Amino acid sequence: MYGKGLRSLSIATVVAMSAALSLVFFYAPLEAEQGFLQKIFYVHVPLAIISLCGFVIGGVLAIAHLRTRDARWDYRSYVVIHMSLIFALATLITGSIWAKGSWGHWWVWDEPTLVSFLIVFLLYATYQPLRFAIEDPERQARYASVFAITAGAFVPLNFIAVRMSTSFLHPRVLGSTSNLPGPMALTFLVSLGAIALLFATLCKYELTAKHTRAQLRALRRRLAAETPGSNRDGAGARSAAPSAIPVSRPTAAPARTSG
Amino acid sequence: MSAATSTTPAAPAAGRERPAATQTAFWPTVGALLRKELLVELRTLESVPAMSLFALSTYVVFHFALNRGSVEGDLAAGILWVTLLFAAILGVNRLFVADADQGGFDGFLLAPVDRTALLLAKVLTLLAYLLVLELIAVPAFSILLLGAPIGPALPGLIATLALADLGIAVIGTLVAALAVRTRARDLLGPLLALPLFVPIVIGAARATEPLLVSAHRGEPAARWLATLAVYDLLFGLIAYALFDFLLED
Amino acid sequence: MTTPAVEVSGLVRRYGEREVLSGVELALEPGRTLVVFGPNGAGKTTLLRVLATLLRPHAGTVRVLGSAIPEEDWAVRGRVGFVGHEPLLYRELTARENLRFHARLHGVAEDRVRELLDQVALTERADEPLRTLSRGMVQRVAVARAVLHEPELLLLDEPYANLDPAAIELLAPLIGASCGCTRVLCSHDPSGGLDGADVVLGLRAGRPALLAQAGTLAPEDITELYR
């Protein structure tokens, strides 16, 4: 169920990434003010958009988990958020490089996207510590889902709030694609698609790996329970089959009839 | 004093003759919970004195850290809100501790009550703590650090405090419930709360900036108060929807 | 034929990937007492908590007092009294304040609190913080809390631990065999536990190893479980 389509997805990602990179380096024109460094925009912005969408999707998957109580939704939510966090870190790093190159500082408070990202990153960085601090797996999944929904709702609100408060002294280069000339817009869109595919593929890999590991554990447990002489489950060699023991018949006490 | 029924009865009970399932009415439940909270706090005096003393000490630290006798404008707003926020976090950390450690969740979960009553009771409790905190911390701030007269600033300040407190109480309750039954509860609480508080800090600080000056005093811009109100409303809805999931075992 | 007070079929409760309860079956007539035996970790407390609506079943059907859990668990609360390992009381409040709080939550009149404090012989110490009382006394208050709302079903997890014989006698009319309610009791005492039991369930590693009418069993059958 999980492994299907993994190969075609990977191939599509490789193709898209190559296309995007070639466009970025050979097709997109050099920007007048910032020169070559501006090209990092084709990586930084798609990373930002995809990770934001990822966080929100993680929240939606968490809603599905709370409604259906099916642990698979929690797996998906976890993987998507985890991947988005990595992409968010990449966003911050590329953004920082761009800031250093363009304005000479490693960090600028005037770029609301970057600032909101920092806050969102700090919030989601607590997701895994939260999960690992709860031992009961069902409660862990439930609490993580509550967090994912709260944080997912927070992402857009935070953006709006930060944008409202940022001064507009520096020209914001992260405008919408409608402002971009043709070749740049094309490169940007291809790049966006490639990074989206990369995200989806990596998530699928992680989900498949998790699922496989869970299946392996389940098989090991069944094997241990059915091996004669093993007392791990406490049911012992006497009742190897895990099916329900007939009611009103004491199996532990021989030669006693039930009432 | 008998209960008011508010839900339909279940199938007739076997054994005893007794009215079928009834649920205790909502507001009396909130009242009972609130009474219990305030009673425990009055006996132990764990949260409110700590919050207030923390705020006062922080002002002193700020004085030495900034090496200034008085502050105004955005610096004043910043110091005021950061201090209030960190003091609030102390209260947030302790909010569910008595319940988690002394089995209070089970006791509540076994009762035939609407679980949202607990959310509301805790939010009101935290609001009460914040109120007392501010009654001490704001005058202290105006005496110790503020370079401008506080009188004329009060109406705007009170409006901002009210809206910000509501947000802090709602988010604080949600985060406290999330953090209390985890291993690192004292660390996770603040780590979760602070990013969620950022929009409140933005709204509250920007709103109070124009108030805390001696010359050219302004009014809090409506958009910041509106931001706070919208944020409070949205998180109120989220807390209402999600709180029950945190109570289950 | 009356509806059973407790009906459980194929109950499964997991903790992660491990099954804490696997396929528990039982039916209990109203007014009867079920005693659950089993080594530590066998799932007795979990079973009790599922019946109390504190835990959801992961599979199987559970009906308590005619209502299905978890779909209709709101109908069950308020008709069940639970005595667990924890007293579920606030240490800083007095016995009276604790009981009053629970009385309000259950919509029970104030006089009932006074009445119960008398019945558990704690009227003189009723206004001291619970942390000043001995464990035995706290347990008495916990039992009072559990029966405050006159429940039809009592779920008792080793209620007599920490109690001296005088206290046990004191509580007998409230939670003992003579109280008239349906009872599910967890016990570790093979001979004492069998007294007053109508049905016996033995759990081992979450599985029902034994389910029989109490009259047909001897204490040795119980100690078998612990091997």
Side-chain angles (χ1 to χ4, degrees):
Chain A
M1 181 203 128
Y2 277 108
K4 262 199 325 237
L6 203 51
R7 182 188 302 177
S8 23
L9 205 57
S10 316
I11 293 174
T13 306
V14 170
V15 166
M17 285 296 285
S18 327
L21 284 172
S22 27
L23 281 178
V24 166
F25 284 110
F26 302 116
Y27 178 68
L30 277 182
E31 212 247 354
E33 287 169 28
Q34 298 176 43
F36 188 75
L37 185 68
Q38 183 269 340
K39 294 199 186 230
I40 210 172
F41 151 88
Y42 295 114
V43 172
H44 170 75
V45 180
L47 281 173
I49 295 174
I50 298 299
S51 66
L52 284 184
C53 293
F55 285 136
V56 174
I57 291 172
V60 172
L61 293 170
I63 293 177
H65 171 246
L66 288 182
R67 281 177 131 218
T68 63
R69 306 263 175 175
D70 185 350
R72 285 176 301 179
W73 289 112
D74 177 59
Y75 272 161
R76 290 172 193 144
S77 177
Y78 172 72
V79 167
V80 167
I81 290 179
H82 183 216
M83 201 57 61
S84 304
L85 191 64
I86 295 172
F87 274 49
L89 184 60
T91 307
L92 284 172
I93 293 173
T94 50
S96 190
I97 295 173
W98 186 11
K100 178 69 176 167
S102 306
W103 297 305
H105 304 289
W106 286 111
W107 183 257
V108 281
W109 286 103
D110 293 325
E111 196 51 67
T113 318
L114 218 52
V115 172
S116 314
F117 247 92
L118 183 62
I119 297 166
V120 165
F121 178 80
L122 287 173
L123 179 62
Y124 277 94
T126 55
Y127 180 70
Q128 257 162 323
L130 173 67
R131 290 198 78 124
F132 289 135
I134 303 173
E135 279 166 0
D136 179 354
E138 196 204 355
R139 203 154 62 80
Q140 184 194 109
R142 217 180 338 120
Y143 276 38
S145 295
V146 170
F147 174 91
I149 297 170
T150 309
F154 170 77
V155 166
L157 292 177
N158 178 56
F159 259 75
I160 295 169
V162 172
R163 191 164 266 208
M164 279 170 75
S165 81
T166 313
S167 64
F168 284 68
L169 291 177
H170 287 252
R172 285 186 311 126
V173 196
L174 299 178
S176 63
T177 30
S178 51
N179 296 339
L180 292 174
M184 293 177 101
L186 176 67
T187 313
F188 177 77
L189 288 172
V190 172
S191 195
L192 184 63
I195 290 188
L197 274 173
L198 179 67
F199 185 86
T201 311
L202 289 174
C203 283
K204 208 160 168 63
Y205 265 113
E206 200 177 333
L207 273 172
T208 311
K210 270 183 145 25
H211 184 75
T212 314
R213 252 180 273 137
Q215 278 185 319
L216 190 62
R217 277 199 300 267
L219 283 172
R220 278 215 192 97
R221 253 173 310 131
R222 268 236 301 274
L223 198 65
E226 288 177 11
T227 310
S230 131
N231 277 321
R232 210 122 43 95
D233 272 313
R238 282 180 279 175
S239 50
S243 53
I245 292 169
V247 164
S248 301
R249 193 179 305 279
T251 54
R256 290 260 175 202
T257 48
S258 57
Chain B
M1 179 182 98
S2 58
T5 57
S6 62
T7 42
T8 50
R16 292 242 200 114
E17 284 308 313
R18 215 182 160 253
T22 61
Q23 197 174 54
T24 317
F26 185 75
W27 292 107
T29 308
V30 176
L33 286 164
L34 199 50
R35 236 163 137 161
K36 184 262 298 176
E37 288 294 317
L38 297 176
L39 201 54
V40 172
E41 174 60 20
L42 277 171
R43 286 284 162 77
T44 58
L45 287 176
E46 271 178 349
S47 300
V48 179
M51 290 161 78
S52 314
L53 280 173
F54 178 84
L56 294 180
S57 316
T58 309
Y59 294 142
V60 175
V61 171
F62 263 118
H63 163 75
F64 287 107
L66 298 172
N67 202 14
R68 289 207 201 190
S70 69
V71 292
E72 274 194 33
D74 53 0
L75 191 56
I79 293 172
L80 177 65
W81 286 105
V82 166
T83 308
L84 284 178
L85 214 63
F86 281 100
I89 285 182
L90 287 183
V92 166
N93 267 358
R94 313 249 9 127
L95 195 61
F96 283 96
V97 165
D99 300 298
D101 290 346
Q102 297 172 38
F105 280 127
D106 279 354
F108 174 75
L109 291 174
L110 289 168
V113 291
D114 184 346
R115 288 159 176 198
T116 309
L118 185 62
L119 171 64
L120 189 56
K122 291 286 183 179
V123 169
L124 289 173
T125 306
L126 200 44
L127 271 176
Y129 293 173
L130 288 170
L131 187 67
V132 177
L133 166 69
E134 282 150 13
L135 283 172
I136 296 172
V138 174
F141 178 69
S142 71
I143 294 169
L144 292 173
L145 281 176
L146 188 59
I150 195 140
L154 274 180
L157 193 57
I158 290 175
T160 314
L161 281 169
L163 286 172
D165 281 353
L166 199 54
I168 294 173
V170 169
I171 291 175
T173 304
L174 191 60
V175 166
L178 199 51
V180 79
R181 289 193 288 186
T182 65
R183 275 202 291 259
R185 62 159 78 137
D186 293 315
L187 295 177
L188 277 173
L191 286 179
L192 290 172
L194 283 172
L196 292 173
F197 282 153
V198 163
I200 296 179
V201 169
I202 292 175
R206 293 297 96 74
T208 43
E209 255 171 50
L211 298 171
L212 301 175
V213 289
S214 16
H216 306 296
R217 173 171 294 110
E219 283 303 311
R223 66 180 181 147
W224 297 121
L225 295 178
T227 312
L228 285 174
V230 169
Y231 198 71
D232 292 349
L233 182 65
L234 284 168
F235 270 94
L237 291 173
I238 290 173
Y240 171 72
L242 297 178
F243 190 69
D244 283 9
F245 291 102
L246 296 176
L247 289 181
E248 289 173 36
D249 197 349
Chain C
M1 169 156 142
T2 46
T3 343
V6 178
E7 255 184 296
V8 176
S9 174
L11 171 63
V12 174
R13 170 79 193 177
R14 281 182 283 267
Y15 184 89
E17 288 156 351
R18 187 168 62 92
E19 284 191 344
V20 179
L21 289 175
S22 320
V24 175
E25 310 260 340
L26 67 99
L28 186 63
E29 299 298 315
R32 302 289 186 176
T33 299
L34 168 73
V35 180
V36 185
F37 289 101
N40 292 328
K44 307 193 296 295
T45 304
T46 307
L47 176 61
L48 233 54
R49 291 177 73 79
V50 170
L51 294 177
T53 76
L54 292 174
L55 292 176
R56 317 175 124 236
H58 286 137
T61 54
V62 179
R63 297 189 76 84
V64 175
L65 299 175
S67 302
I69 293 173
E71 297 79 10
E72 297 169 322
D73 52 13
W74 48 268
V76 170
R77 285 175 205 134
R79 297 159 72 199
V80 164
F82 181 80
V83 178
H85 289 305
E86 305 288 326
L88 308 184
L89 300 164
Y90 292 93
R91 284 194 292 271
E92 296 298 329
L93 299 184
T94 67
R96 200 188 301 274
E97 284 162 349
N98 267 297
L99 289 179
R100 274 211 195 119
F101 168 61
H102 276 98
R104 289 195 193 107
L105 285 186
H106 285 268
V108 165
E110 293 266 331
D111 325 318
R112 182 91 177 116
V113 171
R114 228 170 295 139
E115 188 187 312
L116 273 168
L117 282 169
D118 272 336
Q119 284 190 290
V120 298
L122 276 176
T123 316
E124 313 90 60
R125 309 277 314 261
D127 296 300
E128 292 172 43
L130 228 53
R131 59 180 160 76
T132 63
L133 302 183
S134 71
R135 270 193 102 168
M137 290 183 197
V138 171
Q139 186 71 344
R140 275 143 66 181
V141 183
V143 169
R145 175 198 50 74
V147 298
L148 201 58
H149 50 290
E150 293 177 86
E152 296 153 51
L153 171 65
L154 287 176
L155 301 170
L156 310 167
D157 200 346
E158 295 175 57
Y160 301 122
N162 304 314
L163 291 181
D164 58 32
I168 295 175
E169 225 185 284
L170 202 58
L171 296 178
L174 293 174
I175 60 171
S178 50
C179 77
C181 331
T182 318
R183 304 187 307 148
V184 178
L185 182 71
C186 287
S187 175
H188 268 312
D189 177 13
S191 39
L194 278 178
D195 292 338
D198 297 308
V199 188
V200 174
L201 172 68
L203 288 179
R204 194 183 1 221
R207 299 223 174 88
L210 170 63
L211 178 66
Q213 302 292 318
T216 63
L217 295 173
E220 298 80 59
D221 301 317
I222 309 298
T223 46
E224 262 297 298
L225 275 175
Y226 290 81
R227 252 353 126 54

